[in-house]
Amino acid sequence: EFNRTLAEYETGFGAVYLNRWIGFNHILAILNNPHSSFTLKVQLLDINWVNCENRYTNFEIGDKTTNYVLSLNADTANCGESITGTPNLNGRPFSTYDVDFTGVHECALNYGGGWWFD
């Protein structure tokens, strides 16, 4: 469902009542509002259905010219540092199967979906 082209990740796809990606174009329009501040919350469930979350108040997603590079620092990391730990996604460009920045590893093609693969 999320193995899409970069163009689809830019404009958005999916159904609101199911799984929806609003698109980088919309995300950046929201994040670039100088009168607002945002927190990214990553909520995870482990294999025993125990809930934990990490919060990032200082995060940025670059624009198309940076290949939507991700920059963030955790304020709370109750799950361990799953995003900036190992592998570290900080400073990584966004890859899809048709625009992949992971070199010979071809992570987006091999694992599917769009992500800031390391």
Side-chain angles (χ1 to χ4, degrees), residues 14 16 22-23 27 29 33 46 52 55 62 64 70 72-73 75 77 79 81 87 91 95 97 101 106 109 112-113 116:
V16 172
I22 66 171
I27 291 169
N33 182 340
D46 70 12
C52 64
R55 291 179 183 264
K64 185 174 185 154
L70 181 66
L72 45 79
N73 293 308
D75 294 319
C79 302
E81 197 38 66
S95 288
Y97 71 85
F101 295 101
E106 297 181 318
L109 182 63
W116 294 273

mmCIF file of all heavy atoms in Angstrom, residues 14 16 22-23 27 29 33 46 52 55 62 64 70 72-73 75 77 79 81 87 91 95 97 101 106 109 112-113 116:
data_model
loop_
_atom_site.group_PDB
_atom_site.id
_atom_site.type_symbol
_atom_site.label_atom_id
_atom_site.label_comp_id
_atom_site.label_asym_id
_atom_site.label_seq_id
_atom_site.Cartn_x
_atom_site.Cartn_y
_atom_site.Cartn_z
ATOM 1 N N GLY A 14 -3.996 7.536 -0.693
ATOM 2 C CA GLY A 14 -4.708 6.758 0.316
ATOM 3 C C GLY A 14 -6.054 7.359 0.678
ATOM 4 O O GLY A 14 -6.439 8.418 0.192
ATOM 5 N N VAL A 16 -8.660 8.639 3.752
ATOM 6 C CA VAL A 16 -8.606 9.241 5.079
ATOM 7 C C VAL A 16 -8.995 8.241 6.156
ATOM 8 O O VAL A 16 -8.383 8.168 7.214
ATOM 9 C CB VAL A 16 -9.509 10.495 5.145
ATOM 10 C CG1 VAL A 16 -9.610 11.015 6.565
ATOM 11 C CG2 VAL A 16 -8.985 11.561 4.200
ATOM 12 N N ILE A 22 -0.598 12.381 3.520
ATOM 13 C CA ILE A 22 -1.118 13.635 2.967
ATOM 14 C C ILE A 22 -0.184 14.256 1.937
ATOM 15 O O ILE A 22 -0.590 15.137 1.193
ATOM 16 C CB ILE A 22 -1.474 14.668 4.057
ATOM 17 C CG1 ILE A 22 -0.236 15.142 4.802
ATOM 18 C CG2 ILE A 22 -2.505 14.112 4.988
ATOM 19 C CD1 ILE A 22 -0.505 16.327 5.732
ATOM 20 N N GLY A 23 1.047 13.821 1.901
ATOM 21 C CA GLY A 23 1.977 14.291 0.884
ATOM 22 C C GLY A 23 2.947 15.337 1.412
ATOM 23 O O GLY A 23 2.600 16.155 2.261
ATOM 24 N N ILE A 27 2.539 18.582 3.896
ATOM 25 C CA ILE A 27 3.296 18.561 5.144
ATOM 26 C C ILE A 27 4.187 19.796 5.252
ATOM 27 O O ILE A 27 4.214 20.470 6.285
ATOM 28 C CB ILE A 27 4.144 17.274 5.249
ATOM 29 C CG1 ILE A 27 3.223 16.065 5.439
ATOM 30 C CG2 ILE A 27 5.154 17.376 6.390
ATOM 31 C CD1 ILE A 27 3.922 14.728 5.301
ATOM 32 N N ALA A 29 3.848 22.664 3.699
ATOM 33 C CA ALA A 29 3.022 23.872 3.844
ATOM 34 C C ALA A 29 2.606 24.067 5.300
ATOM 35 O O ALA A 29 2.583 25.195 5.807
ATOM 36 C CB ALA A 29 1.793 23.779 2.943
ATOM 37 N N ASN A 33 4.707 27.135 8.467
ATOM 38 C CA ASN A 33 3.915 28.221 9.029
ATOM 39 C C ASN A 33 4.720 28.870 10.157
ATOM 40 O O ASN A 33 4.964 28.233 11.183
ATOM 41 C CB ASN A 33 2.586 27.679 9.564
ATOM 42 C CG ASN A 33 1.707 28.764 10.125
ATOM 43 O OD1 ASN A 33 2.176 29.847 10.469
ATOM 44 N ND2 ASN A 33 0.437 28.467 10.225
ATOM 45 N N ASP A 46 5.370 -2.872 21.304
ATOM 46 C CA ASP A 46 6.301 -3.985 21.182
ATOM 47 C C ASP A 46 5.535 -5.289 20.995
ATOM 48 O O ASP A 46 4.302 -5.287 20.886
ATOM 49 C CB ASP A 46 7.276 -4.030 22.364
ATOM 50 C CG ASP A 46 6.624 -4.423 23.682
ATOM 51 O OD1 ASP A 46 5.466 -4.890 23.689
ATOM 52 O OD2 ASP A 46 7.289 -4.272 24.718
ATOM 53 N N CYS A 52 4.889 2.596 23.877
ATOM 54 C CA CYS A 52 5.873 3.603 24.255
ATOM 55 C C CYS A 52 5.880 4.671 23.167
ATOM 56 O O CYS A 52 5.366 4.455 22.079
ATOM 57 C CB CYS A 52 7.256 2.997 24.456
ATOM 58 S SG CYS A 52 7.982 2.292 22.967
ATOM 59 N N ARG A 55 9.054 11.685 21.467
ATOM 60 C CA ARG A 55 8.583 12.998 21.015
ATOM 61 C C ARG A 55 9.762 13.834 20.535
ATOM 62 O O ARG A 55 10.815 13.837 21.149
ATOM 63 C CB ARG A 55 7.863 13.739 22.142
ATOM 64 C CG ARG A 55 6.553 13.126 22.508
ATOM 65 C CD ARG A 55 5.912 13.905 23.667
ATOM 66 N NE ARG A 55 4.684 13.270 24.050
ATOM 67 C CZ ARG A 55 3.492 13.636 23.609
ATOM 68 N NH1 ARG A 55 3.384 14.652 22.774
ATOM 69 N NH2 ARG A 55 2.404 13.009 23.999
ATOM 70 N N GLY A 62 13.271 18.594 4.983
ATOM 71 C CA GLY A 62 13.717 19.481 3.922
ATOM 72 C C GLY A 62 12.759 19.459 2.737
ATOM 73 O O GLY A 62 11.850 18.633 2.661
ATOM 74 N N LYS A 64 12.038 19.601 -1.640
ATOM 75 C CA LYS A 64 12.405 18.733 -2.758
ATOM 76 C C LYS A 64 13.878 18.861 -3.140
ATOM 77 O O LYS A 64 14.518 17.876 -3.494
ATOM 78 C CB LYS A 64 11.511 19.039 -3.962
ATOM 79 C CG LYS A 64 11.730 18.109 -5.130
ATOM 80 C CD LYS A 64 10.727 18.342 -6.230
ATOM 81 C CE LYS A 64 10.911 17.305 -7.328
ATOM 82 N NZ LYS A 64 9.699 17.079 -8.076
ATOM 83 N N LEU A 70 15.617 14.403 6.504
ATOM 84 C CA LEU A 70 15.025 14.406 7.841
ATOM 85 C C LEU A 70 16.050 14.889 8.860
ATOM 86 O O LEU A 70 17.187 14.430 8.871
ATOM 87 C CB LEU A 70 14.571 12.987 8.192
ATOM 88 C CG LEU A 70 13.915 12.778 9.537
ATOM 89 C CD1 LEU A 70 12.575 13.520 9.604
ATOM 90 C CD2 LEU A 70 13.701 11.290 9.789
ATOM 91 N N LEU A 72 16.113 15.654 13.126
ATOM 92 C CA LEU A 72 15.356 15.651 14.382
ATOM 93 C C LEU A 72 16.220 15.276 15.562
ATOM 94 O O LEU A 72 17.274 14.678 15.416
ATOM 95 C CB LEU A 72 14.150 14.724 14.298
ATOM 96 C CG LEU A 72 14.292 13.338 13.683
ATOM 97 C CD1 LEU A 72 14.917 12.358 14.625
ATOM 98 C CD2 LEU A 72 12.932 12.867 13.252
ATOM 99 N N ASN A 73 15.761 15.695 16.741
ATOM 100 C CA ASN A 73 16.385 15.354 18.016
ATOM 101 C C ASN A 73 15.266 15.029 18.989
ATOM 102 O O ASN A 73 14.298 15.771 19.102
ATOM 103 C CB ASN A 73 17.216 16.517 18.565
ATOM 104 C CG ASN A 73 18.425 16.808 17.722
ATOM 105 O OD1 ASN A 73 19.201 15.914 17.426
ATOM 106 N ND2 ASN A 73 18.574 18.056 17.305
ATOM 107 N N ASP A 75 13.164 14.723 22.351
ATOM 108 C CA ASP A 75 12.995 15.344 23.661
ATOM 109 C C ASP A 75 12.742 14.260 24.707
ATOM 110 O O ASP A 75 13.271 14.308 25.800
ATOM 111 C CB ASP A 75 11.818 16.318 23.647
ATOM 112 C CG ASP A 75 12.094 17.493 22.748
ATOM 113 O OD1 ASP A 75 13.216 18.004 22.765
ATOM 114 O OD2 ASP A 75 11.188 17.884 22.009
ATOM 115 N N ALA A 77 12.542 9.917 24.835
ATOM 116 C CA ALA A 77 12.799 8.709 24.056
ATOM 117 C C ALA A 77 12.510 7.492 24.924
ATOM 118 O O ALA A 77 13.395 6.767 25.335
ATOM 119 C CB ALA A 77 14.235 8.702 23.551
ATOM 120 N N CYS A 79 11.127 4.830 24.077
ATOM 121 C CA CYS A 79 11.270 3.585 23.309
ATOM 122 C C CYS A 79 12.722 3.296 22.977
ATOM 123 O O CYS A 79 13.005 2.435 22.154
ATOM 124 C CB CYS A 79 10.496 3.676 21.997
ATOM 125 S SG CYS A 79 8.759 4.013 22.173
ATOM 126 N N GLU A 81 16.132 5.178 21.333
ATOM 127 C CA GLU A 81 16.181 6.115 20.217
ATOM 128 C C GLU A 81 16.114 5.364 18.903
ATOM 129 O O GLU A 81 17.108 5.144 18.234
ATOM 130 C CB GLU A 81 17.433 6.993 20.329
ATOM 131 C CG GLU A 81 17.355 8.213 19.482
ATOM 132 C CD GLU A 81 15.968 8.832 19.424
ATOM 133 O OE1 GLU A 81 15.471 9.321 20.433
ATOM 134 O OE2 GLU A 81 15.357 8.796 18.348
ATOM 135 N N PRO A 87 19.810 2.011 12.905
ATOM 136 C CA PRO A 87 20.481 2.983 12.031
ATOM 137 C C PRO A 87 20.022 4.402 12.322
ATOM 138 O O PRO A 87 18.923 4.606 12.809
ATOM 139 C CB PRO A 87 20.049 2.552 10.637
ATOM 140 C CG PRO A 87 18.712 1.930 10.827
ATOM 141 C CD PRO A 87 18.768 1.274 12.187
ATOM 142 N N GLY A 91 19.452 13.224 8.870
ATOM 143 C CA GLY A 91 20.227 13.694 7.733
ATOM 144 C C GLY A 91 20.093 12.843 6.478
ATOM 145 O O GLY A 91 20.763 13.100 5.485
ATOM 146 N N SER A 95 13.737 8.066 0.290
ATOM 147 C CA SER A 95 13.891 7.200 -0.888
ATOM 148 C C SER A 95 12.610 6.443 -1.188
ATOM 149 O O SER A 95 11.885 6.040 -0.274
ATOM 150 C CB SER A 95 15.006 6.174 -0.661
ATOM 151 O OG SER A 95 16.265 6.766 -0.681
ATOM 152 N N TYR A 97 11.112 3.491 -4.437
ATOM 153 C CA TYR A 97 11.681 2.538 -5.391
ATOM 154 C C TYR A 97 12.124 3.195 -6.692
ATOM 155 O O TYR A 97 13.043 2.713 -7.351
ATOM 156 C CB TYR A 97 10.726 1.373 -5.672
ATOM 157 C CG TYR A 97 9.508 1.724 -6.490
ATOM 158 C CD1 TYR A 97 9.558 1.731 -7.878
ATOM 159 C CD2 TYR A 97 8.299 2.028 -5.872
ATOM 160 C CE1 TYR A 97 8.442 2.056 -8.630
ATOM 161 C CE2 TYR A 97 7.179 2.336 -6.620
ATOM 162 C CZ TYR A 97 7.254 2.347 -7.996
ATOM 163 O OH TYR A 97 6.142 2.663 -8.730
ATOM 164 N N PHE A 101 18.146 6.691 -2.793
ATOM 165 C CA PHE A 101 19.429 7.278 -2.425
ATOM 166 C C PHE A 101 20.268 6.330 -1.579
ATOM 167 O O PHE A 101 21.175 6.759 -0.884
ATOM 168 C CB PHE A 101 19.204 8.592 -1.671
ATOM 169 C CG PHE A 101 18.558 9.638 -2.530
ATOM 170 C CD1 PHE A 101 17.198 9.889 -2.419
ATOM 171 C CD2 PHE A 101 19.297 10.343 -3.467
ATOM 172 C CE1 PHE A 101 16.595 10.838 -3.217
ATOM 173 C CE2 PHE A 101 18.699 11.293 -4.271
ATOM 174 C CZ PHE A 101 17.336 11.539 -4.151
ATOM 175 N N GLU A 106 19.828 -0.505 -2.573
ATOM 176 C CA GLU A 106 18.462 -0.386 -3.098
ATOM 177 C C GLU A 106 17.411 -0.721 -2.042
ATOM 178 O O GLU A 106 16.519 -1.544 -2.243
ATOM 179 C CB GLU A 106 18.282 -1.274 -4.329
ATOM 180 C CG GLU A 106 19.164 -0.880 -5.489
ATOM 181 C CD GLU A 106 18.960 -1.749 -6.708
ATOM 182 O OE1 GLU A 106 18.830 -2.981 -6.554
ATOM 183 O OE2 GLU A 106 18.925 -1.185 -7.814
ATOM 184 N N LEU A 109 13.639 -0.375 -2.928
ATOM 185 C CA LEU A 109 13.220 -1.433 -3.835
ATOM 186 C C LEU A 109 13.130 -2.769 -3.101
ATOM 187 O O LEU A 109 12.162 -3.513 -3.253
ATOM 188 C CB LEU A 109 14.193 -1.546 -5.007
ATOM 189 C CG LEU A 109 13.858 -2.582 -6.071
ATOM 190 C CD1 LEU A 109 12.534 -2.234 -6.758
ATOM 191 C CD2 LEU A 109 14.962 -2.664 -7.102
ATOM 192 N N GLY A 112 10.502 -2.107 0.157
ATOM 193 C CA GLY A 112 9.203 -1.532 -0.182
ATOM 194 C C GLY A 112 8.919 -0.277 0.624
ATOM 195 O O GLY A 112 9.486 -0.037 1.675
ATOM 196 N N GLY A 113 8.041 0.544 0.095
ATOM 197 C CA GLY A 113 7.642 1.767 0.779
ATOM 198 C C GLY A 113 8.639 2.884 0.596
ATOM 199 O O GLY A 113 9.733 2.709 0.064
ATOM 200 N N TRP A 116 13.265 7.128 5.043
ATOM 201 C CA TRP A 116 14.591 7.705 5.162
ATOM 202 C C TRP A 116 15.569 6.571 5.496
ATOM 203 O O TRP A 116 16.132 6.510 6.574
ATOM 204 C CB TRP A 116 14.593 8.777 6.250
ATOM 205 C CG TRP A 116 13.746 9.955 5.917
ATOM 206 C CD1 TRP A 116 14.134 11.056 5.216
ATOM 207 C CD2 TRP A 116 12.367 10.155 6.250
ATOM 208 N NE1 TRP A 116 13.075 11.931 5.087
ATOM 209 C CE2 TRP A 116 11.975 11.400 5.725
ATOM 210 C CE3 TRP A 116 11.413 9.417 6.937
ATOM 211 C CZ2 TRP A 116 10.700 11.923 5.854
ATOM 212 C CZ3 TRP A 116 10.139 9.911 7.083
ATOM 213 C CH2 TRP A 116 9.789 11.160 6.540
#
